[in-house]
């Protein structure tokens, strides 16, 4: 660890400008856990220290301590690839001071591009949103991380200290299970579409709740697998990640169901897909986004 710390310090000293990223990290004792994690990946650490135009979302020590007791944290302790992916997910492409984060939300790209963990063109996104004078970042599973100290500048950009570690978005299977969308998952399994949907790049899924499936249960029971597959494909868009901030009123979006369109309607702070209401928007998944709908 002494060697690693010396490496980090030497990286900071090698920069001619006033404050490098390494200087920010080593100069803040509440970021020692992040520093130690980054030291496990010298190439990543060196790249970050020489990269410009980035925003680093820096979990504090309490955030890392909380992570250690979670399944994701325990998995990362024995999986270096996962830990590196988690760290990459905390680096945003572009400089975003707290004042630039809108109250309507913004989905910003990160350095997480490893295809073992994401299939979103340009890097997995994290959502930033401002509210009541503060900024929150929303990651996989709608996990929230609040900014506790904003706008620490360094040579290559800016650091925001956050109070919890971001969650790398899981695939659609794991996300549906965690959200209790069992009827959708079971239907996708029944017609052999689940892995197909998991493997698509840049996907948007309009995911009916269990109650929505229950409301048409008698109809679903009469469908052939081909007919059910067609209905499910009508809920999936491939090639477009339709974050709510990108949707427009009256927009027609072609689906996997032979290009049949769904219609987006915006009004009074709500989003509708055809006649269905979006009840939980913007659930980030490994390959895009899921919007939970009520029909």
């Amino acid at each position: 660890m002494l060697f690693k710390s010396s490496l980090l310090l030497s990286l900071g000293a090698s920069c001619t400008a006033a404050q490098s990223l390494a200087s920010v990290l080593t100069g803040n004792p509440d970021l020692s856990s992040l520093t130690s994690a980054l030291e496990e990946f010298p190439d990543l650490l060196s790249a970050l220290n020489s990269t410009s135009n980035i925003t680093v979302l820096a979990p504090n020590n309490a955030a890392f301590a909380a992570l250690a007791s979670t399944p994701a944290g325990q998995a990362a302790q024995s999986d270096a690839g996962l830990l590196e992916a988690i760290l990459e997910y905390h680096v945003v492409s572009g400089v975003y001071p707290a004042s630039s984060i809108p109250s309507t939300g913004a989905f910003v790209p990160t350095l997480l591009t490893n295809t073992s963990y994401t299939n979103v063109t340009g890097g997995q996104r994290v959502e930033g949103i401002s509210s009541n004078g503060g900024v929150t970042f929303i990651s996989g599973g709608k996990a929230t991380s609040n900014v506790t100290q904003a706008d620490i500048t360094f040579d290559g950009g800016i650091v925001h200290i956050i109070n919890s570690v971001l969650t790398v978005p899981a695939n659609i299977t794991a996300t549906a299970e965690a959200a209790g969308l069992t009827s959708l998952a079971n239907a996708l399994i029944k017609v052999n579409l689940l892995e197909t949907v998991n493997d698509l790049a840049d996907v948007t899924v309009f995911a009916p709740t269990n109650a929505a499936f229950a409301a048409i249960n008698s109809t679903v029971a009469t469908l052939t697998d081909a007919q059910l597959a067609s209905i499910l494909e009508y809920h999936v868009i491939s090639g477009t990640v339709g974050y709510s901030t990108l949707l427009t009123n009256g927009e027609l979006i072609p689906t996997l169901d032979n290009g049949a369109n769904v219609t987006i309607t915006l009004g009074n702070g709500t989003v509708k897909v055809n006649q269905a209401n979006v009840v939980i928007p913007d659930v980030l998944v490994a390959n895009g986004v899921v919007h939970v709908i009520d029909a």
Side-chain angles (χ1 to χ4, degrees), residues 74-140:
Q74 292 164 7
Q77 291 177 21
S78 58
D79 185 342
L82 174 57
L83 178 57
E84 186 171 22
I86 291 171
L87 295 172
E88 290 170 341
Y89 190 44
H90 286 75
V91 184
V92 174
S93 300
V95 176
Y96 296 93
S99 61
S100 73
I101 304 297
S103 59
T104 52
F107 294 84
V108 292
T110 71
L111 296 193
L112 177 56
T113 59
N114 185 331
T115 54
S116 294
Y117 302 96
T118 186
N119 200 1
V120 176
T121 300
Q124 181 58 271
R125 267 57 169 182
V126 63
E127 180 184 7
I129 188 166
S130 65
S131 178
N132 299 319
V135 173
T136 298
F137 286 91
I138 304 171
S139 53

Side-chain angles (χ1 to χ4, degrees), residues 114-289:
N114 185 331
T115 54
S116 294
Y117 302 96
T118 186
N119 200 1
V120 176
T121 300
Q124 181 58 271
R125 267 57 169 182
V126 63
E127 180 184 7
I129 188 166
S130 65
S131 178
N132 299 319
V135 173
T136 298
F137 286 91
I138 304 171
S139 53
K142 302 291 280 187
T144 58
S145 301
N146 297 319
V147 173
T148 58
Q149 185 177 350
D151 301 338
I152 304 170
T153 59
F154 68 98
D155 300 341
I158 203 164
V159 172
H160 300 307
I161 298 178
I162 55 177
N163 67 350
S164 62
V165 175
L166 301 177
T167 299
V168 174
N171 65 21
I172 290 172
T173 302
T175 300
E177 291 174 350
L181 300 173
T182 53
S183 296
L184 173 62
N186 291 337
L188 288 168
I189 291 170
K190 184 176 188 295
V191 298
N192 296 314
L193 275 178
L194 191 56
E195 289 307 313
T196 298
V197 173
N198 275 335
D199 292 341
L200 290 172
D202 298 326
V203 69
T204 303
V205 177
F206 299 108
T209 62
N210 288 349
F213 270 98
I216 59 168
N217 187 58
S218 59
T219 300
V220 170
T222 67
L223 300 176
T224 66
D225 282 359
Q227 290 170 325
L228 179 57
S230 177
I231 291 172
L232 294 172
E233 288 170 346
Y234 188 58
H235 289 71
V236 180
I237 297 163
S238 180
T240 299
V241 184
Y243 305 110
S244 62
T245 54
L246 301 180
L247 299 175
T248 59
N249 189 42
E251 182 177 7
L252 301 177
I253 309 176
T255 68
L256 281 186
D257 184 23
N258 295 314
N261 291 325
V262 293
T263 302
I264 303 299
T265 304
L266 307 179
N268 299 319
T270 64
V271 179
K272 299 189 74 158
V273 185
N274 292 353
Q275 297 304 309
N277 297 297
V278 173
V279 293
I280 304 176
D282 300 315
V283 181
L284 299 177
V285 291
N287 54 342
V289 70

Side-chain angles (χ1 to χ4, degrees), residues 28-34 58-70 145-146 148 161-166:
N28 189 324
D30 202 28
L31 298 179
S32 60
S33 295
L34 173 61
N60 59 25
N61 290 347
F64 272 98
L67 176 69
S69 62
T70 68
S145 301
N146 297 319
T148 58
I161 298 178
I162 55 177
N163 67 350
S164 62
V165 175
L166 301 177

